[in-house]
Amino acid sequence: GIQVEQSPPDLILQEGANSTLRCNFSDSVNNLQWFHQNPWGQLINLFYIPSGTKQNGRLSATTVATERYSLLYISSSQTTDSGVYFCAVAETSGSRLTFGEGTQLTVNP
Amino acid sequence: DAGVIQSPRHEVTEMGQEVTLRCKPISGHDYLFWYRQTMMRGLELLIYFNNNVPIDDSGMPEDRFSAKMPNASFSTLKIQPSEPRDSAVYFCASKRQGRETQYFGPGTRLLVL
């Protein structure tokens, strides 16, 4: 099956700093999503981005499908950004998502 | 618009007991997914339904696990008999046909003693 690797595994920032999270995948994908799991365990979908670039407020994501990676940018980080960020991919539309192991982000005040 | 609803939110049971987890997807969503999250294995898909029909159950760990979707607004995941290694957070998610974004419920935290 498809492999998903996320880096770094852990990241500690001071409030206001910027960060980049990376997701590498082993095969062509038709579906890539970024999720945030907050400290209370809730999973929130951030982006559906199989290719190209999207922005939502302080967050943006870019997927370069031909090179099999995606990046999640967090600018001016806030303590509420803390949690685990997951990348999930599927080889075809409508099929099962495979999740990476996540990046644990801690933003200190 | 209500999100995905799961119940119970927490469940503590003893080994050998039957456990039933429940999920109500977002109204109008055609796909329903059951995931399990553990420290060792991360987030893994157990089974998913499309229009109440199971499409891919290859992630169901063994025969002790079963899932049903009797109608468009309700699904159950049953474990019988439960074992300590089943302890995990179980998430239900749903999505609309033609859209890929999945919406997750709050999860059920299961502890099997």
Side-chain angles (χ1 to χ4, degrees), chain A residues 61-87:
Chain A
T62 294
T63 298
V64 184
T66 53
E67 297 188 20
R68 299 181 185 171
Y69 74 88
S70 182
L71 302 174
L72 179 69
Y73 305 96
I74 304 174
S75 64
S76 304
S77 58
Q78 300 177 358
T79 56
T80 52
D81 296 330
S82 296
V84 183
Y85 289 81
F86 290 101
C87 170

Side-chain angles (χ1 to χ4, degrees), chain A residues 38-58:
Chain A
N38 65 25
W40 296 271
Q42 178 69 49
L43 275 157
I44 304 295
N45 191 290
L46 299 175
F47 293 103
Y48 164 67
I49 185 165
S51 64
T53 298
K54 288 186 178 179
Q55 181 159 6
N56 184 4
R58 296 180 297 104

